[in-house]
């Protein structure tokens, strides 16, 4: 790279980048992009490679040439792994469906209505949001214990729905703030009730945003570790906790853990490939 | 087919009166325009008629029914919003059909209605598009179409043209007028543009500070403004106001103003009779002033300050003893250098007199 200060005078250079020759500029761009890619891709590449190595080879991934799919078969021969995948999938899906019902309506209420009810609701989720997420866990543990919900699907589900509602009602409110309310007024004049205007006009208009939020909620629960660790035990294995259990007193089975991690990444990858357009569009309204 | 009657209508937000004791009768098939400066309560009044805003006091009747407690959908009204408020996720056809489907109108009737509206508004080629794919003017027409298909008792418009550029606005203004002649429905139209108010309204309601200042035909409002506010708000360029003193001259009166005196007409004399020797405000419209460079009797003497060339005419700002006076309709070819001494005269019958304190027209 060379600074082109002596070459053809460029009109009012605005930054370092503009001072570069076109060729150097391209090189610079490529370099920057590869640096970013490296930063994000390297761990994933290492993970994938590790998952394909035999157990004794994981510390030599840059040397060995033996590759195997055995790790994947072995992981899926363990009942707990399959159970964890199923549990995590069901948990994410059910929690998302339930919480969307609440976040969408409560986000709408926060955006459109005034009065004591929205105010109280707003304040309470605000308070919960300001509490660090980690501080939720212990009280929730105590509550779940005393209600007999510890290590049950219902117990962990309730916790996730609560977090979704507190964290995502805000985002939903933001979406509805961005939708012009006169569309709903028009609908009310056109024969809808207040609820009808919400359901038939505001809701479809927020459709992409709701889809985006659904995906975010789903991924949040799928990836969540702390609640799963504290609020569940052997009866309700979840993906992230099961993955961590490859760390044993006898050492860490990196190859198996990587294989499971790669499998766990698949939903995120599918979403990135197919639903990304939706998420970006939705988050933009 | 309906009359709209507002009786002592109020709207309060906390301690603030957004609409204060409005009384207004809108006749069947009449096109009434509410006009006034920003924040004067026009939209709030309209939204109370629509049922989108609760009424704090008084009653609103549509037809012979008091609608205070009816939700918007039961008032049988149609409304066009400033930003059109089209349903973004529906095609133009579905936008037009939405209100009728809600009323369980059979699909073939809906189709016939839409056909009729589409012909009136020239929307034929756009029926399958989504609102996003339309220009501002086209969206505007769809919003009007949504009104027409409904056969509502009353049409409400809240600044429907203000998002359009000047040329399109002038065009749509004419379209609206033509439309009203075709579909003859009671209409209430809100705007802050006095040109729209004058051209569209059968009657114009001038609002200021949450109250009605005057109701009348466009001509009445222009020629006989009831207050100084109405006089200044309607007409462009705005009316000139000068401080004047009433003086007796034998049996009649004259008014002493900065830079000279005005004769008073017989009609004016009766208006001023009670103010002999008193201080008043004289209103004179820029278009009623004639400007001469030769000394004239009963004229205001001043000097040219600025000229604005409009091509068809010139606007001239004259300063007479410190008072600014705007003169319009000056021959565009006349050359008036700043500082030129000029004499301004007005037909006595065109002068308007206002009380200095109440700012109401003297009668
Ligand atoms: N929800 C509200 N809460 C408090 N005050 C309000 C509310 N809505 C309107 N107002 C006030 O009521 C007054 C009248 O508002 P309105 O919208 O009727 O004005 P407008 O005449 O339509 O003006 P514009 O030409 O700007 O649209 C304004 O001063 C406004 O600030
Ligand atoms: Mg308004």
């Amino acid at each position: 790279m060379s600074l082109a200060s002596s070459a053809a005078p460029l009109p009012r250079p605005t930054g370092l980048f503009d001072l570069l020759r076109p060729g150097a500029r391209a090189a610079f761009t490529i370099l920057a992009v590869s640096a970013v890619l490296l930063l994000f891709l390297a761990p994933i590449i290492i993970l994938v490679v590790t998952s394909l190595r035999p157990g004794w080879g994981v510390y030599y991934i840059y040397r060995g040439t033996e590759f195997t799919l055995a790790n994947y078969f072995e992981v899926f021969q363990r009942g707990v792994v399959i159970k964890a995948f199923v549990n995590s999938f069901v948990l994410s899906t059910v929690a998302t469906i339930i919480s969307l019902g609440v976040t969408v309506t409560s986000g709408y209420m926060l955006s459109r209505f005034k009065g004591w009810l929205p105010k109280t609701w707003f304040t309470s989720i605000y308070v919960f949001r300001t509490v660090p997420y980690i501080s939720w866990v212990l009280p929730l543990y105590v509550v779940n214990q005393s209600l007999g919900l510890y290590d049950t699907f219902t117990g962990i589900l309730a916790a996730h729905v609560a977090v979704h509602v507190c964290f995502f009602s805000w985002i939903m409110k933001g979406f509805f703030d961005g939708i012009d309310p006169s569309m709903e007024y028009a609908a009310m004049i056109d024969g809808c009730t207040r609820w009808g205007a919400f359901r038939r006009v505001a809701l479809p208009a927020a459709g992409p945003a709701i889809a985006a939020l659904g995906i975010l909620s789903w991924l949040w629960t799928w990836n969540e570790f702390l609640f799963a660790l504290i609020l569940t035990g052997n009866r309700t294995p979840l993906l992230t906790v099961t993955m961590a259990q490859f760390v044993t007193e006898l050492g860490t089975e990196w190859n198996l853990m990587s294989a499971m991690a790669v499998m766990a990444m698949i939903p995120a990858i599918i979403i990135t490939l197919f639903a990304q357009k939706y998420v970006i569009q939705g988050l933009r309204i | 087919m309906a009359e709209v009657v507002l009786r002592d209508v109020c709207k309060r937000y906390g301690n603030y009166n957004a609409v204060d004791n409005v009384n207004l009768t809108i006749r069947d098939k009449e096109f009434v325009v509410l006009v006034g400066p920003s924040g004067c309560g026009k939209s709030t009044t309209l939204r109370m008629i629509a049922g989108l805003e609760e009424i704090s006091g008084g009653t609103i009747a549509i037809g012979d029914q008091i609608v205070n407690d009816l939700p918007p959908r039961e008032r049988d009204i149609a409304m066009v919003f400033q930003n059109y408020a089209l349903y973004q996720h529906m095609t133009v056809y579905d936008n037009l059909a939405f209100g009728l489907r809600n009323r369980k109108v059979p699909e073939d009737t809906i189709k016939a209605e839409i056909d009729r509206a589409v012909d009136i508004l020239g929307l034929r080629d756009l029926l399958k598009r989504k609102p996003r794919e339309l220009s501002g003017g086209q969206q505007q027409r769809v919003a009007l179409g949504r009104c027409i298909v409904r056969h509502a008792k009353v049409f409400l418009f809240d600044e429907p043209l203000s998002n359009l550029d000047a040329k399109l606005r002038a065009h749509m203004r004419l379209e609206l007028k033509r439309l009203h002649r075709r579909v003859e429905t009671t209409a209430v139209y809100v705007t802050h543009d006095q040109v729209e108010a004058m051209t569209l309204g059968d009657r114009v309601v001038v609002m200021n500070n949450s109250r009605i200042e005057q109701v009348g035909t466009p001509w009445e409002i222009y020629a006989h403004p009831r207050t100084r506010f109405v006089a200044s708000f309607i007409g462009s360029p705005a009316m000139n106001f000068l401080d004047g003193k009433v003086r007796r001259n034998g049996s009649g009166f004259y008014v002493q103003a900065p830079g000279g005196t005005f004769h008073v007409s017989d009609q004016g004399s009766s208006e001023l009779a009670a103010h002999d020797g008193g201080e008043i405000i004289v209103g004179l419209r820029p278009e009623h002033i004639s400007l001469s460079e030769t000394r004239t009797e009963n004229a205001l003497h001043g000097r040219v300050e600025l000229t604005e060339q409009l091509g068809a005419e010139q606007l001239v700002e004259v300063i007479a003893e410190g008072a600014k006076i705007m003169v319009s309709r000056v021959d565009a070819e006349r050359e008036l250098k700043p500082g030129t001494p000029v004499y301004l005269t007005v037909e006595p019958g065109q002068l308007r007199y206002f009380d200095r304190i109440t700012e109401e027209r003297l009668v």
Side-chain angles (χ1 to χ4, degrees):
Chain A
M1 276 183 277
S2 66
L3 291 177
S5 47
S6 60
L10 291 164
R12 277 197 295 130
T14 49
L16 183 63
F17 192 78
D18 293 310
L19 287 170
L20 301 174
R21 284 210 187 109
R25 244 183 263 179
F28 187 77
T29 309
I30 291 171
L31 214 70
V33 170
S34 0
V36 172
L37 276 183
L38 204 69
L39 192 69
F40 288 101
L41 278 183
I44 295 176
I45 292 169
I46 293 173
L47 191 74
V48 172
V49 173
T50 309
S51 76
L52 294 171
R53 297 285 286 161
W56 50 264
V58 293
Y59 297 108
Y60 310 100
I61 53 168
Y62 47 92
R63 281 196 249 145
T65 48
E66 297 86 352
F67 290 101
T68 169
L69 283 175
N71 297 325
Y72 288 87
F73 291 115
E74 186 174 344
V75 162
F76 277 98
Q77 257 150 30
R78 303 193 180 182
V80 67
V81 170
I82 299 198
K83 229 165 134 187
F85 266 97
V86 171
N87 274 345
S88 274
F89 182 84
V90 175
L91 178 69
S92 304
T93 309
V94 175
T96 300
I97 290 170
I98 295 177
S99 68
L100 271 189
V102 183
T103 45
V104 169
T105 43
S106 90
Y108 185 75
M109 174 178 78
L110 290 176
S111 166
R112 293 288 192 267
F113 294 93
K114 296 192 183 79
W116 65 268
L117 183 65
K119 216 177 221 167
T120 317
W121 176 241
F122 189 78
T123 316
S124 45
I125 59 175
Y126 180 78
V127 167
F128 278 114
R129 264 218 77 160
T130 48
V131 173
Y133 163 62
I134 290 185
S135 333
W136 287 48
V137 168
L138 284 179
L140 272 175
Y141 175 76
V142 175
V143 169
N144 273 8
Q145 278 284 13
S146 61
L147 293 178
L149 291 174
Y150 172 73
D151 199 11
T152 61
F153 191 79
T154 321
I156 185 90
L157 178 70
H160 275 273
V161 170
V163 173
H164 285 182
V165 168
C166 284
F167 282 34
F168 297 134
S169 290
W170 292 68
I171 302 182
M172 213 54 229
K173 171 188 183 306
F175 290 147
F176 282 118
D177 284 345
I179 296 175
D180 181 6
S182 53
M183 210 156 78
E184 292 143 50
Y185 299 141
M188 284 161 69
I189 286 171
D190 261 350
C192 291
T193 58
R194 189 75 193 76
W195 172 254
F198 163 67
R199 201 175 51 79
R200 299 187 47 200
V201 174
L203 209 54
I210 295 170
L213 199 65
I215 289 167
L216 290 182
S217 313
W218 195 92
L219 281 178
W220 193 87
T221 297
W222 180 258
N223 293 329
E224 204 279 336
F225 178 65
L226 193 66
F227 278 12
L229 183 68
I230 311 271
L231 301 181
T232 62
N234 292 333
R235 277 185 292 150
T236 327
L238 289 170
L239 189 70
T240 46
V241 178
T242 309
M243 213 186 293
Q245 279 162 357
F246 288 107
V247 184
T248 63
E249 289 115 53
L250 301 175
T252 305
E253 293 163 293
W254 289 111
N255 52 331
L256 300 183
M257 197 200 259
S258 303
M260 191 167 172
V262 169
M263 297 301 292
M265 272 180 353
I266 287 175
I269 291 169
I270 291 176
I271 284 167
T272 322
L273 291 183
F274 296 101
Q276 186 202 29
K277 202 181 90 190
Y278 255 122
V279 176
I280 291 171
Q281 249 177 20
L283 293 178
R284 230 188 353 220
I285 336 184
Chain B
M1 310 301 118
E3 214 181 41
V4 178
V5 182
L6 284 74
R7 194 157 286 146
D8 302 325
V9 170
C10 294
K11 177 68 193 183
R12 276 181 291 277
Y13 290 113
N15 283 331
Y16 179 71
N17 274 333
V19 174
D20 197 6
N21 257 311
V22 162
N23 281 289
L24 181 64
T25 301
I26 298 155
R27 297 181 208 115
D28 188 24
K29 296 183 187 157
E30 192 178 28
F31 199 113
V32 164
V33 179
L34 303 184
V35 67
S38 192
C40 69
K42 315 174 291 280
S43 296
T44 308
T45 308
L46 195 75
R47 292 166 56 83
M48 282 193 286
I49 300 175
L52 297 173
E53 206 81 68
E54 236 167 270
I55 301 165
S56 311
T59 58
I60 294 179
I62 297 176
D64 10 81
Q65 191 181 17
I66 290 191
V67 297
N68 282 38
D69 297 323
L70 288 186
R73 64 178 186 283
E74 287 168 29
R75 294 191 184 194
D76 200 5
I77 48 173
M79 184 159 171
V80 178
F81 295 82
Q82 177 170 352
N83 45 17
Y84 322 131
L86 300 179
Y87 310 125
Q88 294 298 328
H89 58 291
M90 298 181 196
T91 61
V92 169
Y93 186 93
D94 290 334
N95 262 280
L96 295 174
F98 188 77
L100 297 172
R101 287 187 183 143
N102 280 334
R103 285 181 170 70
K104 307 265 176 326
V105 177
E107 277 299 321
D108 38 336
T109 319
I110 294 179
K111 197 164 177 330
E113 279 304 332
I114 291 180
D115 262 345
R116 186 183 73 105
V118 155
D119 281 340
I120 295 178
L121 295 167
L123 291 170
R124 176 79 49 205
D125 303 329
L126 308 175
L127 285 175
K128 292 216 168 59
R129 298 228 200 136
K130 293 266 177 74
R132 272 182 229 281
E133 300 155 5
L134 301 177
S135 72
Q138 291 167 334
Q139 293 189 33
Q140 176 62 21
R141 285 209 288 271
V142 177
L144 287 176
R146 219 164 45 177
C147 269
I148 299 177
V149 295
R150 283 264 319 276
H151 291 287
K153 279 191 205 148
V154 184
F155 287 172
L156 305 174
F157 301 91
D158 193 353
E159 311 211 18
L161 304 185
S162 60
N163 282 4
L164 302 177
D165 64 55
K167 207 166 169 188
L168 196 52
R169 197 178 319 154
H171 173 73
M172 288 305 291
R173 207 163 59 211
L174 280 177
E175 293 279 302
L176 263 175
K177 198 157 184 152
R178 206 165 295 147
L179 183 70
H180 183 245
R181 202 168 305 150
R182 270 182 87 160
V183 294
E184 291 202 317
T185 305
T186 313
V188 190
Y189 186 104
V190 163
T191 179
H192 58 254
D193 178 357
Q194 48 126 346
V195 178
E196 267 169 45
M198 299 294 277
T199 51
L200 285 173
D202 294 327
R203 280 192 305 156
V204 175
V205 178
V206 183
M207 289 187 74
N208 187 29
N209 283 333
S210 318
R211 291 169 171 276
I212 291 184
E213 292 261 336
Q214 186 172 1
V215 183
T217 63
W219 175 252
E220 278 165 7
I221 299 268
Y222 172 81
H224 307 289
R226 214 179 54 70
T227 64
R228 176 181 169 164
F229 172 80
V230 175
S232 67
F233 194 78
I234 301 293
S236 169
M239 187 183 255
N240 298 294
F241 297 99
L242 301 172
D243 288 337
K245 280 204 180 72
V246 183
R247 298 264 186 261
R248 188 173 277 281
N249 172 17
S251 60
F253 290 93
Y254 66 95
V255 172
Q256 188 161 12
T261 56
F262 287 118
H263 260 310
V264 171
S265 66
D266 294 347
Q267 164 75 20
S269 294
S270 71
E271 290 168 8
L272 290 175
H275 295 267
D276 188 6
E279 308 208 316
I280 56 156
I281 297 170
V282 191
L284 44 158
R285 292 210 179 268
E287 56 270 33
H288 293 153
I289 303 175
S290 34
L291 181 147
S292 142
E293 281 160 86
T294 52
R295 179 174 287 280
T296 321
E297 285 296 299
N298 288 315
L300 301 188
H301 177 52
R303 283 174 192 281
V304 172
E305 177 80 3
L306 277 176
T307 59
E308 289 177 81
Q309 179 61 264
L310 299 182
E313 58 167 331
Q314 276 190 89
L315 303 183
V316 181
E317 190 183 293
V318 175
I319 304 270
E321 278 181 27
K324 252 190 239 165
I325 303 169
M326 196 58 138
V327 183
S328 66
R329 307 227 178 125
V330 177
D331 191 339
E333 288 173 17
R334 256 166 98 174
E335 217 171 298
L336 294 162
K337 294 227 164 54
T340 315
V342 288
Y343 298 86
L344 309 179
T345 48
V346 181
E347 278 288 308
Q350 305 283 21
L351 294 172
R352 298 290 174 262
Y353 312 107
F354 302 92
D355 190 292
R356 274 242 189 129
I357 310 219
T358 64
E359 303 205 325
E360 284 183 18
R361 174 106 183 265
L362 300 178
V363 283

